[in-house]
């Protein structure tokens, strides 16, 4: 068994990362709480999109 | 007027996705190939290594690195495939969160693999500190600022946290380079040095192939090149696995066989989901079944072979240990025999001496009955002295303490003297003892005179012991080979079986029928004779036509120059 404190610390770190991931899901998927940067018109949207593609 | 969001989303006409990742929005099959081609073998290697050595810290870190790499690939693919902006934002935020972890675990892996041990918890904390802002701020606007609907590419606008992520990734890369370089410069041991170099190349190449997408995009704005880089990930993970295997007691063959079988299996299985080859599904299923069967037998045979090899290696080790133990016991035995014999010899000399003096009348006339007893004491003690001398010779030979003083010796004369010495005993026994010399040259042998005399004495004495009636011929010749002389002692005695012939020069071996004619004898005389002759660059052989048909012993020794 290697350093128990290090294992526990990494475990805690991974747990926090998981919480962070859940928070992301809660915000972006559950609440859909994010802004959009939108095109000025549908034409502009499609035109830019085509060029990019 | 700016159109509303739902109008814009509808205008883009994104395709629906299934299982998050299967969608026509991923317009280039290259993405599927590179992502599946990199994540499956990488994760597989990580899992297999973990199964083989789950307690090894470096393997645990490598496994975590492959897990986070796989999560990253999955999230990335979802951002390509999904038609929902919410999912794009969620999985994109996970990308920001997960990416630095790959670098962190790569650094931990490098540290623990090179140091071959645990990382002090303070170092782990120090290494992980840069991750904390990412963990805490990933769900906030610092991670992603908005969903980009200025085009139909389904992208998210990254916040400062993403840039921070790239910076800490660079810090981890610099740490890995600095740590391995410092270690490699200091290390004297070639194996440790190689280990450090292997792992730094493997980790460096893995991270480079992982981040090639970002680097290539930053410099060329061509995301295609970066995708090819991902294909390097499994190659370099395999390289790291090899590095672990190379320096640990893993079975690289078993590991590679398992990886091959499972990898090919997954590849064939994935063909079932390719639409264009729908009609070939039965063939694919048949191939899959066949592959599973063959794979099972292949893995089993490799496992068995390895088990057999391990068993053999263990046996060889046990044998070596047992041999060492036996050698030690043999040495102790020789030492004991030597000490015991020396202790016995001194009182025996006194017994023999006083018995002889009593018999000679040095202490007055001895009655006839007492003289008979004294005679027995003298004979027995002489035999005992001879046995002790044999024991001492054996222990001297085995301890390498026997000294040889080689000199030119007149072999016919030496043999003739020995025969004369034993003639009285032969006459008493009723055996004809003849000596014959057919020497044409000088007849000088290059031997130790004392040892040579003892050998001839042993051979003729043996012949006398085991020849109840009949004759014994002692013949010295110089026509057996270039620059060699030979003495042959041929008797018409009890002879030897084939089995006895093979072992007659071993310690404590006597002919099976020896006890029927002669109870005295330790079974050491011929062993001592052989050791002495071989030490003097000569050879000794025994021949017999069988039990009751006599024996012939031939000694060849080098001629004096």
């Amino acid at each position: 068994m290697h350093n128990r404190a290090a294992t526990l610390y990494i475990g805690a770190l991974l747990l926090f990362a998981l919480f962070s991931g859940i928070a992301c899901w809660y915000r972006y998927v559950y609440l859909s709480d994010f802004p959009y940067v939108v095109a000025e018109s549908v034409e502009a949207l499609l035109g830019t999109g085509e060029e990019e593609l | 007027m700016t159109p509303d969001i739902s109008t814009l989303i509808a205008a883009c006409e994104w395709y629906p996705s299934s299982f998050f990742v299967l969608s026509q929005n991923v317009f280039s099959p290259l993405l599927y190939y590179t992502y599946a081609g990199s994540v499956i073998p990488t994760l597989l290697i990580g899992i297999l290594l973990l199964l083989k050595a789950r307690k090894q810290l470096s393997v645990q870190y490598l496994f975590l690195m492959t897990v986070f790499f796989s999560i990253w690939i999955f999230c990335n693919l979802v951002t390509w495939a999904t038609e929902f902006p919410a999912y794009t934002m969620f999985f994109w935020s996970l990308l920001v969160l997960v990416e630095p972890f790959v670098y962190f675990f790569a650094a931990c892996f490098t540290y623990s693999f090179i140091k071959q041990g645990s990382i002090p918890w303070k170092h782990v904390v120090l290494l992980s500190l840069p991750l904390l802002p990412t963990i805490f701020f990933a769900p906030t606007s610092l991670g992603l600022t908005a969903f980009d609907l200025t085009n139909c590419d389904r992208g998210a606008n990254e916040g400062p946290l993403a840039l921070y992520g790239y910076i800490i990734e660079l810090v981890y890369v610099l740490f890995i380079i600095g740590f391995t370089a410092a270690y490699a410069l200091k290390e004297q041991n070639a194996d440790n040095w190689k280990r450090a170099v292997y792992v730094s190349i493997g980790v460096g190449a893995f991270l480079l192939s992982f981040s090639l997408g970002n680097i290539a995009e930053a410099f060329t704005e061509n995301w295609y090149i970066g995708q090819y880089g991902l294909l390097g990930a499994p190659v370099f993970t395999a390289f790291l696995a090899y590095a672990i295997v190379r320096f640990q007691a893993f079975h690289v063959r078993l590991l590679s066989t398992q990886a091959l079988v499972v990898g090919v299996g997954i590849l064939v299985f994935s063909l079932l989901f390719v639409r264009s080859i729908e009609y070939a599904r039965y063939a694919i299923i048949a191939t899959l079944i066949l592959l599973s069967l063959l794979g099972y037998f292949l893995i089993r045979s490799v496992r068995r072979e390895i088990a057999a090899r391990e068993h053999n290696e263990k046996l060889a080790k046990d044998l070596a240990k047992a041999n060492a133990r036996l050698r030690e016991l043999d040495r102790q035995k020789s030492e004991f025999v030597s000490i015991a014999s020396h202790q016995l010899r001194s009182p025996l000399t006194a017994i023999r001496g006083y018995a002889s003096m009593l018999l000679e009348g040095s202490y007055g006339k001895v009655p006839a009955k007492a003289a008979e007893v004294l005679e027995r004491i003298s004979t027995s003690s002489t035999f005992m002295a001879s046995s002790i001398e044999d024991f001492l010779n054996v222990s001297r030979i085995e301890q390498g303490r026997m000294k040889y003083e080689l000199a030119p010796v007149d072999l016919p004369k030496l043999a003739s003297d020995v025969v004369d010495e034993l003639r009285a005993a032969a006459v008493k026994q009723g055996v004809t003892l003849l000596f014959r010399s057919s020497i044409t040259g000088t007849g000088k042998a290059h031997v130790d005179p004392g040892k040579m005399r003892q050998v001839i004495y042993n051979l003729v004495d043996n012949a006398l012991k085991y020849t109840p009636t009949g004759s014994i011929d002692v013949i010295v010749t110089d026509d057996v080979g270039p620059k060699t002389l030979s003495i042959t002692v041929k008797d018409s005695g009890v002879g030897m079986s084939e089995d006895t012939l093979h072992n007659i020069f071993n310690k404590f071996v006597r002919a099976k029928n020896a006890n029927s004619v002669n109870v005295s004898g330790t079974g050491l005389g011929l062993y001592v004779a052989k050791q002495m002759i071989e030490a003097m660059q000569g050879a000794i052989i025994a021949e017999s036509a069988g039990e009751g048909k006599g024996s012939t012993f031939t000694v060849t020794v080098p001629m004096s120059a």
Side-chain angles (χ1 to χ4, degrees):
Chain A
M1 181 68 195
H2 77 279
N3 197 334
R4 184 179 283 271
T7 311
L8 285 174
Y9 178 77
I10 286 178
L13 207 65
L14 292 177
L15 205 63
F16 276 118
L18 182 67
F19 287 151
S20 185
I22 292 169
C24 288
W25 173 84
Y26 185 74
R27 182 186 165 194
Y28 295 120
V29 180
Y30 190 75
L31 298 178
S32 283
D33 174 22
F34 57 91
Y36 288 85
V37 182
V38 292
E40 285 178 6
S41 64
V42 172
E43 289 74 29
L45 171 88
L46 296 177
T48 321
E50 287 297 319
E51 275 168 30
E52 285 284 315
L53 288 170
Chain B
M1 192 187 123
T2 311
D4 68 2
I5 290 160
S6 54
T7 312
L8 288 173
I9 290 174
C12 279
E13 291 182 338
W14 292 320
Y15 295 102
S17 62
S18 50
F19 304 112
F20 291 106
V21 291
L22 297 177
S23 151
Q24 289 184 61
N25 292 324
V26 185
F27 53 89
S28 168
L30 173 72
L31 273 172
Y32 282 122
Y33 288 132
T34 51
Y35 282 24
S38 61
V39 78
I40 292 170
T42 305
L43 196 58
L44 211 66
I45 292 166
I47 292 168
L48 285 175
L49 270 178
L50 191 72
L51 289 178
K52 295 290 162 200
R54 77 180 68 112
K55 285 187 179 165
Q56 198 178 317
L57 191 62
S58 54
V59 169
Q60 291 171 359
Y61 284 130
L62 188 71
F63 171 71
L64 285 170
M65 185 181 92
T66 59
V67 166
F68 274 82
F69 172 74
S70 309
I71 296 172
W72 186 91
I73 293 274
F74 178 76
C75 293
N76 209 14
L77 200 52
V78 177
T79 62
W80 282 104
T82 188
E83 74 276 26
F84 301 114
Y87 283 161
T88 305
M89 291 299 282
F90 169 56
F91 284 101
W92 203 298
S93 67
L94 288 189
L95 285 179
V96 174
L97 176 67
V98 159
E99 198 171 301
F101 269 92
V102 178
Y103 289 77
F104 167 68
F105 285 121
C108 290
F109 164 73
T110 312
Y111 189 129
S112 62
F113 187 69
I114 290 179
K115 287 278 181 192
Q116 286 292 289
S118 67
I119 310 177
W121 70 273
K122 284 178 190 166
H123 292 197
V124 178
V125 172
L126 214 64
L127 265 176
S128 73
L129 280 182
L131 289 176
L132 298 181
T134 310
I135 294 172
F136 292 119
F137 299 117
T140 70
S141 306
L142 289 171
L144 300 177
T145 54
F147 184 84
D148 187 4
L149 253 182
T150 57
N151 56 51
C152 286
D153 283 354
R154 300 176 311 282
N157 287 347
E158 292 181 337
L161 202 63
L163 180 67
Y164 171 75
Y166 298 139
I167 294 168
I168 61 170
E169 284 163 18
L170 186 69
V171 170
Y172 283 129
V173 169
L174 290 177
F175 167 80
I176 291 167
I177 294 170
F179 184 78
T180 47
Y183 182 82
L185 286 176
K186 248 191 337 198
E187 187 55 47
Q188 300 291 320
N189 181 304
D191 247 18
N192 290 345
W193 191 87
K194 265 190 216 162
R195 191 170 55 211
V197 172
Y198 268 52
V199 82
S200 60
I201 292 172
V203 170
F206 177 88
L207 293 180
L208 185 72
S209 72
F210 178 54
S211 52
L212 198 65
N214 295 335
I215 299 168
E217 212 167 353
F219 288 102
T220 64
E221 295 196 348
N222 181 352
W223 63 271
Y224 256 103
I225 302 169
Q227 308 312 315
Y228 285 114
L230 284 172
L231 284 173
V235 177
F236 302 123
T237 316
F239 184 82
L240 289 175
Y242 171 75
I244 293 174
V245 167
R246 166 83 173 70
F247 294 102
Q248 315 291 334
F250 290 160
H251 304 304
V252 69
R253 281 183 61 195
L254 188 61
L255 203 67
S256 53
T257 313
Q258 285 169 338
L260 179 77
V261 170
V262 178
V264 174
I266 289 170
L267 214 65
V268 175
F269 183 72
S270 67
L271 287 177
L272 287 170
F273 298 96
V274 180
R275 289 181 181 182
S276 56
I277 51 171
E278 203 159 338
Y279 299 111
R281 279 196 179 165
Y282 294 113
I284 293 168
I285 290 169
T287 311
L288 207 58
I289 292 168
L290 203 66
L291 181 78
S292 308
L293 277 174
L294 288 176
Y296 169 73
F297 287 118
L298 182 66
I299 291 171
R300 199 177 64 167
S301 73
V302 171
R303 196 188 289 272
R304 277 186 183 171
E305 193 190 317
I306 288 168
R309 199 182 60 207
E310 271 183 355
H311 184 64
N312 286 345
E313 279 169 8
K314 189 179 173 301
L315 283 180
K317 267 186 195 166
D318 289 350
L319 196 64
K321 266 188 204 167
N323 273 341
R325 174 89 186 120
L326 279 177
R327 267 197 297 275
E328 174 58 19
L329 283 175
D330 203 41
R331 190 193 62 76
Q332 286 176 356
K333 179 217 66 189
S334 296
E335 209 173 285
F336 166 74
V337 169
S338 172
I339 293 166
S341 304
H342 274 293
Q343 296 300 321
L344 287 173
R345 197 160 62 168
S346 312
L348 202 60
T349 309
I351 293 169
R352 283 172 70 194
Y354 284 118
S356 172
M357 283 162 79
L358 281 169
L359 274 172
E360 284 166 5
S362 302
Y363 299 100
K365 193 167 166 45
V366 179
K369 270 194 174 177
E372 199 179 313
V373 173
L374 281 172
E375 189 74 47
R376 279 190 191 169
I377 289 172
S378 180
T379 312
S380 296
S381 58
T382 304
F383 170 70
M384 195 172 168
S386 149
S387 297
I388 286 171
E389 197 52 43
D390 279 348
F391 287 135
L392 277 173
N393 280 334
V394 169
S395 78
R396 278 188 208 117
I397 287 166
E398 290 185 349
Q399 289 176 350
R401 289 190 291 111
M402 190 71 102
K403 299 274 185 290
Y404 296 89
E405 285 172 19
L406 303 180
V409 173
D410 188 343
L411 199 62
K413 185 176 182 313
L414 188 70
S416 165
D417 287 349
V418 173
V419 168
D420 286 343
E421 198 178 323
L422 287 165
R423 196 177 303 280
V427 170
K428 193 174 169 188
Q429 205 174 305
V431 173
T432 315
L433 177 60
L434 293 172
F435 172 76
R436 202 166 70 237
S437 170
S438 57
I439 293 290
T440 51
T442 59
K444 299 269 188 199
H446 187 63
V447 289
D448 181 311
K451 306 286 188 299
M452 194 63 218
R453 188 185 180 287
Q454 194 178 340
V455 170
I456 300 169
Y457 188 95
N458 276 0
L459 290 179
V460 180
D461 190 46
N462 256 4
L464 272 172
K465 278 178 189 167
Y466 299 112
T467 309
T469 52
S471 64
I472 299 166
D473 290 323
V474 180
I475 307 151
V476 183
T477 56
D478 58 358
D479 56 359
V480 282
K483 296 187 175 179
T484 53
L485 293 168
S486 85
I487 302 175
T488 305
V489 180
K490 189 176 177 184
D491 65 54
S492 59
V494 296
M496 284 174 281
S497 66
E498 189 76 18
D499 190 34
T500 309
L501 259 180
H502 282 298
N503 303 309
I504 196 69
F505 291 110
N506 292 343
K507 273 182 285 185
F508 306 111
V509 171
R510 299 177 73 199
K512 276 180 188 164
N513 49 359
N515 283 335
S516 62
V517 286
N518 193 307
V519 286
S520 66
T522 53
L524 288 174
L526 286 175
Y527 170 76
V528 170
K530 185 176 169 66
Q531 298 300 319
M532 286 179 171
I533 289 296
E534 284 179 355
M536 295 187 290
Q537 311 303 316
I540 181 166
I541 54 163
E543 293 162 289
S544 175
E547 287 186 0
K549 293 178 180 170
S551 315
T552 306
F553 286 86
T554 308
V555 176
T556 49
V557 285
M559 205 181 268
S560 185

